[in-house]
Amino acid sequence: MATADSTITTSAPQTDIDLWSDEVLTDPYPYYRELRDLGPVVWMRKHGLWVVPRFSSIREALLHAEIFSSSGGVAVNDLANQAAEGVMLISDDPKHKRLRRTFMKPLQPHALKQLSERLNSLAKQQVDAVLAKGEFDAVTELAYFLPLTVVTELVGFSEEGKKNMLRWAAAVFDGMGPIGYRRTMDGLAITQEALKYVLEVKREDLDPDGWGAQLFTAADNGDLSYAEAQIMLMDYLGPALDTTINGFSSLLYLLGRNPDQWDMLRETPERLPYAIDEAVRLESPIRGFARVVMRDCELEGVAMRKGDRALMLYASANRDERRYPDPERFDIQRDARDHVAFGFGTHLCAGRNLAKLEITTMFNHLLSRIRRFEILEEDRIPHNTLRGLSKLMIRVHQ
Ligand code: HEM
């Protein structure tokens, strides 16, 4: 990373690829490869913003959060960034560190340990129920199950919040695309609904033992202001559900398409943590978030200007052939724990251990009960930020 006074020698690679077109969102990976081959940082002419598509350039940028800032917004449009003003995800240190300390309290290892027994018995019941059917949609019947039954309850929103959380979260992430695109505009409209709820919900309406309410307790103790506590409800609302749902269904999908890997995982269930990392590497549930460049600088030889916006394309970095040999292959023997599907640096995902716990708990039951399964049908809905399956019909053999 060099700053403005170094000599900037290279002219920037450019592209006309539109990362938000239906065509790219439906089958993004060949485009991501093209971007990586163009350079470590590529100027997207159509949108007037940078994309950072390589593993090394993303890590380098995110190591320098003082230059690649989140507080200017992680969406690529100003409306979404203004709507989310004040949330932890779009803050910088030192304020960010202070907010994160409070946010993380219910996600500490001892809290997750307490949770794991409950997750385990609920997962067992659900697996029993679906296996009795033989054929079922693994997205709605398995992937949704723990996030929707347990996590929504832990967050502790009122009924209106619980009922809408999944829909609102998907919309917030869709609303992060460029203005004028249908998905972005629909997403932004629903984001207003979510925001209204978050800003108007009363502390008394939240579960007093829930994660949302503990933000207000932190405000009582002077760790946050009441306004910070209120808007930070958005940090629980946005990323807690779809991300895990997509990570779960992508792992199941990849194992279904690679039955040798399913057999291997059944024989060596201790590889499950690696299999989860490998699945989110290959099918990153969040494809990228943006940063704002705080001063003229150079990233891996490409000159960038103060005020520019740069999209960190995690999903592309995770398939970077410069980092991962044969990157398109799903291989549970691979050690891909350094992937950036959970981000990197100071904003590294705050909920990753919870997500991994949910996925592990469910898979422990599936691995011990299912000998073989076939994918009967699958479907995806293109989305501006999220990647996952909307349907995964499977037939199981015990
Ligand atoms: C497979 C599941 C998940 C994936 C792939 C994922 C992905 C990510 C990514 C890529 C970031 C980085 C943001 C950035 O660079 O600006 C992030 C941050 C974050 N995630 Fe996750 N996430 C997952 C699950 C969760 C869960 C279950 C929660 C909630 C409990 C959560 C809460 C957050 C929060 C609050 C942040 C912001 C952290 C900060 O600003 O310091 N995530 N996540």
Side-chain angles (χ1 to χ4, degrees), residues 89 96 100 103 239-240 243-244 289 291 314 341-343 347 349 351:
L89 177 68
H96 163 257
R100 187 162 163 127
F103 183 92
T243 49
T244 313
F289 282 130
R291 297 292 189 268
Y314 301 134
F342 293 114
H347 288 276
C349 177

Side-chain angles (χ1 to χ4, degrees), residues 1 8 12-14 41-44 47-52 61 64-78 81 289-299 302-312:
M1 189 79 238
I8 292 167
Q14 304 197 3
V41 190
V42 180
W43 182 249
M44 293 192 284
H47 301 290
L49 68 115
W50 298 101
V51 57
V52 184
H64 294 275
E66 73 291 355
I67 301 179
F68 291 90
S69 153
S70 293
S71 62
V74 300
V76 302
N77 76 75
D78 291 337
N81 289 328
F289 282 130
R291 297 292 189 268
V292 173
V293 180
M294 299 305 281
R295 57 176 190 256
D296 292 1
C297 66
E298 197 183 308
L299 180 58
V302 179
M304 302 172 84
R305 291 276 164 218
K306 179 178 176 181
D308 289 350
R309 206 179 281 286
L311 177 68
M312 305 291 146

Side-chain angles (χ1 to χ4, degrees), residues 62 70 74 88-91 96 100 103 107 151 211 235-236 239-248 280 284-286 289-291 312 314 340-344 346-352 354-356 358-359:
L62 295 184
S70 293
V74 300
M88 178 176 76
L89 177 68
I90 66 166
S91 65
H96 163 257
R100 187 162 163 127
F103 183 92
L107 293 160
V151 179
W211 299 350
D235 285 301
Y236 289 128
L241 303 178
D242 314 66
T243 49
T244 313
I245 292 168
N246 291 345
F248 176 94
V280 296
S284 305
I286 290 187
F289 282 130
R291 297 292 189 268
M312 305 291 146
Y314 301 134
V340 289
F342 293 114
F344 180 68
T346 189
H347 288 276
L348 180 68
C349 177
R352 66 193 185 289
L354 171 64
K356 285 181 171 182
E358 292 174 75
I359 298 173

Side-chain angles (χ1 to χ4, degrees), residues 133-271:
K133 294 187 188 179
E135 277 184 28
F136 55 90
D137 177 5
V139 173
T140 51
E141 307 229 26
L142 287 178
Y144 276 22
F145 181 68
L146 290 177
L148 286 188
T149 49
V150 182
V151 179
T152 48
E153 196 190 297
L154 291 169
V155 172
F157 286 149
S158 61
E159 276 317 306
E160 186 193 355
K162 279 192 190 133
K163 199 174 70 201
N164 287 294
M165 203 168 151
L166 192 58
R167 185 174 72 91
W168 285 342
V172 167
F173 284 126
D174 243 349
M176 291 180 156
I179 290 297
Y181 284 58
R182 182 187 49 80
R183 264 182 290 274
T184 310
M185 302 323 278
D186 291 351
L188 281 171
I190 300 173
T191 299
Q192 290 308 317
E193 242 182 72
L195 203 60
K196 186 170 179 326
Y197 172 79
V198 158
L199 292 176
E200 290 180 2
V201 69
K202 300 260 180 309
R203 177 181 187 168
E204 312 77 83
D205 297 332
L206 303 174
D207 175 350
D209 299 321
W211 299 350
Q214 70 98 25
L215 295 173
F216 291 94
T217 312
D220 294 338
N221 298 334
D223 297 333
L224 302 175
S225 71
Y226 287 99
E228 284 171 344
Q230 193 87 37
I231 190 67
M232 276 175 72
L233 291 173
M234 206 70 183
D235 285 301
Y236 289 128
L237 185 149
L241 303 178
D242 314 66
T243 49
T244 313
I245 292 168
N246 291 345
F248 176 94
S249 37
S250 290
L251 175 57
L252 194 63
Y253 171 79
L254 289 164
L255 289 165
R257 287 276 170 252
N258 298 276
D260 60 315
Q261 301 283 311
W262 175 257
D263 293 342
M264 199 188 294
L265 193 53
R266 273 172 48 85
E267 277 159 31
T268 52
E270 64 278 10
R271 295 300 301 174

Side-chain angles (χ1 to χ4, degrees), residues 94-144:
K95 177 183 170 186
H96 163 257
K97 273 211 170 69
R98 177 173 57 81
L99 302 184
R100 187 162 163 127
R101 212 173 300 127
T102 296
F103 183 92
M104 290 300 291
K105 278 193 183 139
L107 293 160
Q108 295 301 328
H110 68 273
L112 295 183
K113 201 160 171 230
Q114 279 177 1
L115 184 62
S116 73
E117 219 166 277
R118 192 161 148 241
L119 290 179
N120 193 38
S121 78
L122 286 168
K124 181 180 180 314
Q125 283 170 32
Q126 184 66 5
V127 169
D128 284 346
V130 292
L131 292 191
K133 294 187 188 179
E135 277 184 28
F136 55 90
D137 177 5
V139 173
T140 51
E141 307 229 26
L142 287 178
Y144 276 22

